[in-house]
Amino acid sequence: MSEPSITRSAPKEITCEQCRDLLSEYVDHELSDQEKVDVEHHVATCIKCASESTRLVGIKNIVQNWEGVKGSSKFREAVLEQYISESRMMASKPFTDAAAAARAESQRQQEQETGKPPAASTAFWIAVVVALIATVALVAFLFAGE
Amino acid sequence: MPDERLKTFGDEQLMKELAAGNHEAFEELLRRYETQVITFCYAFMRNRDSAEDLAQETFLRVFRNAARYMPVAKFTTWLYKIATNLCINESKKGQIRHSRSLDEPAGSDPDGTRIIERLANKGDAPLTEAEKHEAQTLIERAIAHLPDDQRTTLVMVEYHHMPYQEIAEILGVTVSAIKMRVKRARETLRETLKILQAESK
């Protein structure tokens, strides 16, 4: 079985102005296949545009040598410190949320039964104690792991 | 013992680990993108301290939103959108004092011309360590002299190697605008490098 042939688009003639408009995108590999063929065909036959293309590639080579801006020695430490602080706060949040939800539910139930704003109920205090025990256990676990 | 597997994870997979509470996933993300994000912020602010502050906030926002992160777009698109919004908001607060290196007098730099020319021609002999350091200073000065839009866009093209489409999405502009900025940035850079070369003679 014969290999499928790869057909290359036929180049269209473009002017120097059109070519120079496309050169920046060309060096960035942002042109369509047709545009790429057109530019390459023109550059192969035009000294001025070939020279301009070389200059653009030169500028690109220069800038691409830039190593960027590295973080100071304290940067990573500062980010991790803040991250750990926030992640600890986030970890304890479900327990404080659960205590608040239990209290709200208990108050709602008491209001329904008596029609009066409730005093603190047994169920409420049980929920608070459970939440406190869970929070202490978590803090102990986190500090034990360091 | 750090989990070496994380180094092989894609960004989206790392985010899942982070959302599940894996601290090492955050460290891996930081390791992967620290310099890139700081450089991105520096391209906006032209001040190293501000760049680090904004980069720090960028990473923390990644963590805070990890549970809500949906890999609809590339992770880097999301990451740099966060950084862009932070930088734009900070820029609006007022004038940022640019890093001293931009204000340094040009001085005599007899080797500057040769270094620039050798960088432009990839096939030339490699630079020495001292020349590499000089090259970094020259390139940074040239980039810093670009107007804001041209500078941020060109850094994303040449340093972050992003395609125009992604840059347009991150910066919230059209691809046509990106094409124009890149073209003008290179024209401006050419003039700036000529000035740097003239100063060195």
Side-chain angles (χ1 to χ4, degrees), chain B residues 3 5 34 36 40-41 72 88 139-140 142 173 193 195 200:
Chain B
D3 188 350
R5 292 178 310 141
E34 175 182 329
Q36 292 192 40
F40 182 90
C41 295
V72 174
I88 288 173
I139 298 168
E140 198 166 310
V173 299
L193 288 167
I195 292 168
S200 71

Side-chain angles (χ1 to χ4, degrees), chain A residues 25-43:
Chain A
E25 292 165 65
Y26 173 69
V27 301
D28 290 336
H29 309 288
E30 288 279 347
L31 292 182
S32 65
D33 289 345
Q34 182 63 57
E35 286 171 327
K36 187 171 168 241
V37 162
D38 297 344
V39 165
E40 286 174 349
H41 175 73
H42 182 91
V43 163

Side-chain angles (χ1 to χ4, degrees), chain A residues 120-134:
Chain A
S121 70
T122 308
F124 164 69
W125 285 114
I126 289 172
V128 168
V129 168
V130 167
L132 275 172
I133 291 171

Side-chain angles (χ1 to χ4, degrees), chain A residues 9 11 29 53 67 81-82 89 94 97 112-113 116 120 122 124 130 137-138 141 144:
Chain A
S9 311
H29 309 288
S53 177
E67 291 170 359
E81 201 176 295
Q82 184 66 19
M89 276 179 6
D97 282 355
Q112 278 182 342
E113 285 163 12
K116 292 182 203 173
T122 308
F124 164 69
V130 167
L138 174 69
F141 172 74

